[in-house]
Amino acid sequence: EDLKKYTRAIMNDYATSFNREINGKPITVDDIKYFAKIEHQTTTTLSNQGWKVDYITIRSAQTLAPAQDTDFQFVILGAATLANIRLIDNIEFCAKPLN
């Protein structure tokens, strides 16, 4: 239980360190959690397939700050090695509805 409280406190400090707001309110841990889960799952999947992952991160394409659920333009940044080949790439995409 103490570890859980400590982890929550660290994550709150992490979220506030971005000095950003969503709808006039400072961002919270819940605002960044969803994208962190995707990053973790991707890293785990690649690692299980033999990749040595340096980083996988989803960011706002406009600011490169950690992605928020209010963003529509994203960039996925990643670097990983398989055998002796290192791949460094970024993929930009727009999640805005097309209507």
Side-chain angles (χ1 to χ4, degrees):
E1 190 62 30
D2 287 341
L3 180 59
K4 191 175 189 178
K5 287 179 186 177
Y6 174 76
T7 302
R8 287 185 192 270
I10 294 297
M11 287 302 294
N12 282 327
D13 288 344
Y14 178 69
T16 58
S17 71
F18 297 120
N19 298 318
R20 291 189 59 202
E21 294 182 350
I22 297 175
N23 299 326
K25 296 180 182 178
I27 65 169
T28 67
V29 170
D30 290 334
D31 297 322
I32 61 174
K33 234 189 293 190
Y34 174 74
F35 295 104
K37 286 181 183 179
I38 294 171
E39 293 167 1
H40 177 73
Q41 289 172 340
T42 303
T43 299
T44 300
T45 299
L46 288 171
S47 295
N48 289 342
Q49 294 177 5
W51 289 85
K52 180 186 174 291
V53 179
D54 296 316
Y55 60 88
I56 299 285
T57 187
I58 304 170
R59 300 292 177 135
S60 163
Q62 295 171 328
T63 65
L64 291 181
Q68 306 296 319
D69 60 0
T70 56
D71 290 325
F72 291 110
Q73 294 179 313
F74 301 94
V75 60
I76 300 171
L77 306 165
T81 303
L82 182 63
N84 291 333
I85 300 170
R86 185 159 191 247
L87 172 67
I88 302 171
D89 206 352
N90 61 70
I91 302 167
E92 292 186 52
F93 66 97
C94 180
K96 191 171 185 179
L98 298 175
N99 51 350

